[in-house]
Every structure is written in structure tokens, then in C-alpha cells.
């Protein structure tokens, strides 16, 4: 019997539509639990997750049979439907279409986990937009 051995660690981040700061307090805890539950269903372990008022960071181990775009689409779609169904925020909730996904080597897992865990402290110094632009530059993506 043949087996595939794949470790596809990805640091994935995306934000609320128009970066509206609606994910606060107990809403963050409920949404985090929901993401963890859905990741189990998708057989995609989440190694670290942190939800900020206007964006999310998660470190996932994507299996070989699930492509990144399908995973993100499912997580964003399932969660926005769930948020709206449970009335977690006033009005209609949605995520921005764009997302960032950055590969993480096994040797860097603990560093990325710590970074995600300590986002509140980091975001006091650097905005999400500044942080996102820096990641893009560090991975060779430049705005026109």
C-alpha cells in the first residue's frame, strides 16, 4: 500500500470585509471554537489561531488532498454563514475576498505559533495593513 507523507504548514490570514472591527470579546472565543471544529471536519489540524477584531491568523497543516484555495474558501464561507446564522454581529457579516498564505518550515513552527499567540502585543506596534504589506514584500510580492 502506498502512502503520501506531506507536511504543508501554512500561516494563513484574512480580514473582515472593509476591515470592520466587529470580532471582539466573546465573539472571538465562539468563532475560534467554530474554526477549530471545522478544521477537524476538514482533517486539517490548526496548530495556532488568533482572532483579532478585524482579522484572523491561523497556522494550519494542510493535507495533500485539500488545496489551499478550497480550504480558505470553505473556512471563510462556513464561518461567515455561521456568524450570520447566530447573529454574532449586527448586520450582515462577511470576510474580504483576498487572503494571504505563507509557507512555514518545520524549524520555524514554534516561532510562528508564538507570533500568532502574541498578536495583541504585536498589533499595538504595527497595524494589520503594515504587517500584511511586510509579509508580501518578504515573500517577493510587490504592489504595482
Amino acid at each position: 500500500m502506498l502512502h503520501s507523507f506531506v507536511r504543508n504548514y501554512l500561516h494563513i490570514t484574512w480580514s473582515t470585509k472593509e476591515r470592520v472591527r466587529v470580532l471582539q470579546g466573546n465573539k472571538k472565543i465562539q468563532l475560534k471554537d467554530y474554526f477549530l471544529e471545522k478544521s477537524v471536519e476538514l482533517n486539517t489540524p490548526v496548530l495556532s489561531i488568533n482572532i483579532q477584531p478585524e482579522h484572523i491568523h491561523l497556522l494550519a497543516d494542510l493535507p495533500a488532498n485539500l488545496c489551499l484555495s478550497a480550504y480558505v474558501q470553505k473556512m471563510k464561507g462556513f464561518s461567515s454563514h455561521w456568524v450570520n446564522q447566530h447573529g454574532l454581529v449586527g448586520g450582515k457579516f462577511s470576510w474580504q475576498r483576498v487572503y494571504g498564505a505563507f509557507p512555514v518550515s518545520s524549524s520555524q513552527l514554534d516561532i510562528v505559533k508564538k507570533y500568532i499567540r502574541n498578536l495583541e502585543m504585536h498589533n499595538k506596534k504595527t497595524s494589520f495593513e503594515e504587517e500584511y504589506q511586510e509579509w508580501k514584500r518578504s515573500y517577493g510580492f510587490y504592489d504595482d
Side-chain angles (χ1 to χ4, degrees):
M1 185 162 37
L2 296 175
H3 295 282
S4 296
F5 299 98
V6 175
R7 285 286 184 233
N8 191 16
Y9 300 118
L10 292 168
H11 180 183
I12 308 168
T13 185
W14 64 84
S15 66
T16 60
K17 188 162 184 135
E18 298 176 10
R19 297 213 172 101
V20 178
R21 299 176 59 85
V22 294
L23 304 174
Q24 301 187 42
N26 194 41
K27 297 170 190 173
K28 288 171 41 172
I29 296 166
Q30 291 175 311
L31 190 55
K32 178 181 176 180
D33 290 343
Y34 182 79
F35 274 118
L36 293 172
E37 179 184 311
K38 279 297 172 190
S39 287
V40 169
E41 288 177 22
L42 293 171
N43 194 31
T44 306
V46 169
L47 307 173
S48 186
I49 184 170
N50 194 322
I51 298 173
Q52 295 297 294
E54 79 284 15
H55 69 282
I56 181 172
H57 287 256
L58 62 85
L59 176 61
D61 183 4
L62 220 61
N65 66 341
L66 183 60
C67 75
L68 170 64
S69 61
Y71 174 72
V72 173
Q73 180 182 15
K74 288 177 183 198
M75 294 298 279
K76 288 167 75 173
F78 289 149
S79 62
S80 60
H81 177 76
W82 184 82
V83 167
N84 287 317
Q85 184 179 32
H86 288 85
L88 249 54
V89 301
K92 183 169 174 25
F93 175 79
S94 61
W95 299 106
Q96 281 192 1
R97 289 177 46 152
V98 33
Y99 63 90
F102 307 94
V104 177
S105 68
S106 297
S107 64
Q108 298 295 305
L109 283 177
D110 288 337
I111 292 168
V112 174
K113 286 179 190 177
K114 182 179 178 184
Y115 171 79
I116 292 172
R117 188 173 49 249
N118 295 318
L119 274 173
E120 284 84 0
M121 189 172 22
H122 179 75
N123 286 341
K124 288 179 182 176
K125 300 175 193 171
T126 307
S127 74
F128 175 65
E129 180 62 31
E130 292 168 329
E131 169 186 63
Y132 191 66
Q133 293 303 323
E134 178 55 34
W135 287 334
K136 285 173 39 181
R137 282 189 296 277
S138 71
Y139 280 92
F141 297 101
Y142 301 96
D143 292 333
D144 294 332

